[in-house]
Amino acid sequence: MELINFSLALFGEAETPAAEESAPDPGAEFDRLIAGDYREQYEAKTRPLQESADKYAALAPVLAELEKRFGLSSGDTAGLQEALAREARDRETEKASREQEQQQWQAQQHSRAQAIREQWEAQAEQAKQVYPGLDLRSELRDPRFQSLLCANVDVATAYQVVHLNEILPAAMAYTAKAVEGKLAGALTASSGRPGENGAGGQGAAAPKLDASKMGRAEFQALCRRIAGGEKISFG
């Protein structure tokens, strides 16, 4: 081989070693590509990654606070996820418990209201024996009637208070008529009895009562006395 090379060298045809080419730098080539022809494609590919990195950076203080709250070491994402899931389950359990308590309270209130309504209806039926015109449904629309019932006043008394201006005149007329009948009977009975005064003019005879000559106030006063149980003597 050396002899051949020597011979070729004489004729100027000897092989000369080729100059070693330097190996290309991949990093530099990559930088050249993304800064040049492929810049837009590179930015489109890496933009979501950059946005995610920015979001994580913004959330870093929040994550640190949560880790501190749950007593976790920094970067314990698995532990943080479990702690958050456990807290969510606890909230759901508490919410369900509150809803159940609310439903129970509503059921109790409904049962209590139903019992009160039944009590009012029973009282109303009893009161109708005296006040036939009493209509519980209509009366419950009156705020005054409602207030009295809510203050534990029975239906009959509440009706009397609300309709006092209607009941009182009718009651007075009924009482006056009843007393007038009693008075008329008493006058009739007394007119048939012999005089009780002693003979010989001893003592003055009691004046006779004449209802027809009494004034309205005087007659009403007499009626109230008789209605109160007072015994009236007639001459």
Side-chain angles (χ1 to χ4, degrees), residues 10-47:
L10 293 176
F11 293 96
E13 297 179 359
E15 292 182 357
T16 57
E20 295 183 359
E21 296 181 359
S22 60
D25 183 359
E29 182 66 14
F30 179 75
D31 291 339
R32 184 184 67 78
L33 292 173
I34 64 175
D37 297 339
Y38 298 99
R39 178 177 180 178
E40 293 182 359
Q41 291 82 350
Y42 174 78
E43 290 179 350
K45 290 286 186 181
T46 58
R47 186 176 298 111

